[in-house]
Amino acid sequence: MTLAGDAGRTKRRGGSGPAIPAPSAQNLLRWYDRERRDLPWRVAPGGRPDPYRVWLSEIMLQQTRVETVARYYERFLARFPTIETLAAARLDSVLKLWAGLGYYARARNLYACACEVVLRHDGRFPDTEEALRELPGIGPYTAAAIAAIAFGRKATPVDGNIERVIARLFAIETPLPAAKPELRRLAERLVPDERAGDFAQAMMDLGATICTPKRPDCALCPWNEVCIARARGEAEELPRRTPKSEGALRRGAAFVVVREDGAVLVRRRPREGLLGGMTEIPGTDWSADFDLRNASRAANRLIPFVSAIEWRRRPGSVRHVFTHFPLELTVFVASAPKETEAPREMRFVKRERLDGEALPTLMRKVVAHALPEDHQT
DNA sequence: CACGCGTGGCT
DNA sequence: TAGCCAAGCGT
């Protein structure tokens, strides 16, 4: 029998139903020893992992699926087998091997980190979370993962998989991200004194293969008998999330100039930031306090050859939801003579060529709203 | 510190 | 089908 005070786990839930024993790390480790996936960066059981390889795999695995990383990891390792070879390379050749993997800041940080480890740490990774955390591209999760997996330290990396497993195991109803500290505390209590690295990997494997976001395969789970969410039949509902606040509505105006030959006036957005480098219909800034009465002045400034009287406001508006704010654009349309030349930094694109442009969905909506006749079938 | 980064898997 | 979205890190 588990002792009282063990996470309150032996209390009867809601005054009814059987007590559920606390989950044990050993149980999960037994499953891991049996079902462990053979991944390129994993060493044979009992083997001593190379911190360089652990680090490389952890960086590649940030935001990236195991199957994808596997295709890149070995090729990368063949070209840069040690941290010295990596640090001696040119950034360009590192980026070349990273091409297609995405999140290229990771590759830049990877290279910077290799240089720093070689120059300032004598080519050896520091073996504490705190020191690892100082290196470029290594945040709280990765520092804990390397400390545990490469150095056998009792650290607790917490990624999205582990948050999900813990939330279900203990039926944490608090929504994310508020639940993060609580989930971390619960995860820390499960970590065994020995094999913390295997335990972390086992948790992530469990989250990736069995305790999946949708339709978890509880029948195969080594912890199914100790999982409170499973007992309550609500595993799939957890973890809950607070719907992220939409952000304040922003408004603006877009000005669609259609030349007699059907070409539409566009420009390129600044290279950085939202929709960076994409093509757009010229328009005002988007702001919470946008005032439609300023629209004609803005149009005049942007596109001087169209006089105010020629702009026709389209009824209604175009709505679009970005990750962090909803946007409502009022659309104005004007015609321009065939020989009209585009203002500075703008150009005319033939209507049928618009599909080949880097035109974001929002801007496609704007065009469709401005020229509805194009879309009738 | 809220935001954006790249890609592929999911519905 | 194409739009949605993951979920570590740096800024």
Side-chain angles (χ1 to χ4, degrees):
Chain A
M1 188 39 139
T2 319
L3 295 174
D6 189 23
R9 220 29 213 287
T10 54
K11 284 186 214 147
R12 287 171 188 276
R13 290 174 296 102
S16 66
I20 297 182
S24 96
Q26 294 314 316
N27 209 1
L28 183 67
L29 284 168
R30 272 195 296 277
W31 169 81
Y32 183 68
D33 289 338
R34 204 168 60 240
E35 304 288 340
R36 194 174 87 105
R37 292 183 289 175
D38 191 18
L39 303 174
W41 46 89
R42 287 191 175 160
V43 293
R48 192 221 241 89
D50 175 359
Y52 171 69
R53 297 181 184 210
V54 172
W55 163 70
L56 176 63
S57 67
E58 287 300 335
I59 301 296
M60 285 188 165
L61 284 163
Q62 289 169 5
Q63 276 36 85
T64 312
R65 314 177 65 78
V66 162
E67 303 76 39
T68 307
V69 168
R71 297 201 295 271
Y72 286 80
Y73 174 81
E74 286 184 291
R75 191 174 56 127
F76 194 98
L77 198 60
R79 173 73 178 75
F80 302 119
T82 64
I83 194 153
E84 286 81 10
T85 53
L86 178 55
R90 294 164 47 105
L91 175 60
D92 210 48
S93 54
V94 177
L95 289 172
K96 210 177 259 182
L97 281 182
W98 204 273
L101 199 51
Y103 282 117
Y104 299 99
R106 289 186 301 174
R108 297 193 294 273
N109 286 327
L110 184 89
Y111 179 63
C113 183
C115 294
E116 201 170 317
V117 168
V118 166
L119 291 175
R120 301 184 38 193
H121 294 91
D122 203 21
R124 282 184 291 270
F125 277 91
D127 66 353
T128 66
E129 268 186 88
E130 193 189 15
L132 286 162
R133 183 70 188 72
E134 299 296 311
L135 293 164
I138 299 186
Y141 163 80
T142 307
I146 297 173
I149 298 168
F151 299 112
R153 293 202 177 258
K154 195 178 170 185
T156 313
V158 181
D159 73 343
N161 287 311
I162 295 180
E163 284 179 347
R164 183 170 60 254
V165 171
I166 298 294
R168 289 174 178 172
L169 213 46
F170 296 94
I172 302 304
E173 302 286 340
T174 315
L176 284 169
K180 278 174 180 284
E182 186 181 6
L183 294 174
R184 159 166 291 281
R185 276 197 304 277
L186 289 165
E188 281 168 354
R189 298 174 49 161
L190 286 178
V191 179
D193 291 332
E194 305 289 324
R195 302 187 65 191
D198 284 347
F199 181 75
Q201 294 181 86
M203 291 279 277
M204 290 186 276
D205 273 18
L206 189 67
T209 62
I210 290 177
C211 198
T212 48
K214 302 273 169 62
R215 297 176 57 86
D217 200 350
C218 298
L220 295 180
C221 180
W223 273 339
N224 55 13
E225 290 179 2
V226 300
C227 180
I228 300 181
R230 149 93 160 146
R232 293 181 187 173
E234 61 173 19
E236 195 164 359
E237 329 302 324
L238 297 179
R240 304 194 194 285
R241 300 179 180 275
T242 44
K244 39 182 152 257
S245 65
E246 286 192 337
L249 173 68
R250 299 186 201 178
R251 294 190 181 82
F255 307 112
V256 180
V257 180
V258 186
R259 210 165 54 180
E260 264 173 29
D261 61 0
V264 175
L265 187 65
V266 300
R267 65 180 176 184
R268 181 179 289 280
R269 290 181 62 84
R271 290 167 54 88
E272 308 284 322
L274 188 62
L275 304 176
M278 306 288 284
T279 303
E280 72 169 357
I281 300 296
T284 64
D285 288 342
W286 307 332
S287 67
D289 54 9
F290 173 74
D291 189 335
L292 201 52
R293 288 171 300 186
N294 298 334
S296 66
R297 216 171 317 153
N300 233 342
R301 203 167 50 240
L302 279 168
I303 308 161
F305 60 78
V306 178
S307 71
I309 204 154
E310 294 172 282
W311 286 109
R312 304 179 63 93
R313 180 183 165 183
R314 301 290 307 177
S317 60
V318 166
R319 289 161 186 281
H320 188 80
V321 181
F322 288 103
T323 328
H324 279 89
F325 67 93
L327 175 68
E328 184 183 286
L329 288 183
T330 304
V331 178
F332 292 83
V333 187
S335 308
K338 194 165 55 188
E339 63 280 4
T340 307
E341 286 184 27
R344 256 180 82 78
E345 308 285 283
M346 298 191 196
R347 61 202 161 88
F348 279 101
V349 175
K350 287 192 177 146
R351 185 65 191 82
E352 64 272 18
R353 287 279 185 86
L354 226 40
D355 283 343
E357 287 289 320
L359 203 65
T361 305
L362 163 65
M363 293 299 157
R364 293 181 189 272
K365 288 186 197 170
V366 168
V367 172
H369 192 75
L371 312 168
E373 63 277 8
D374 283 20
H375 298 266
Q376 285 167 9
T377 42

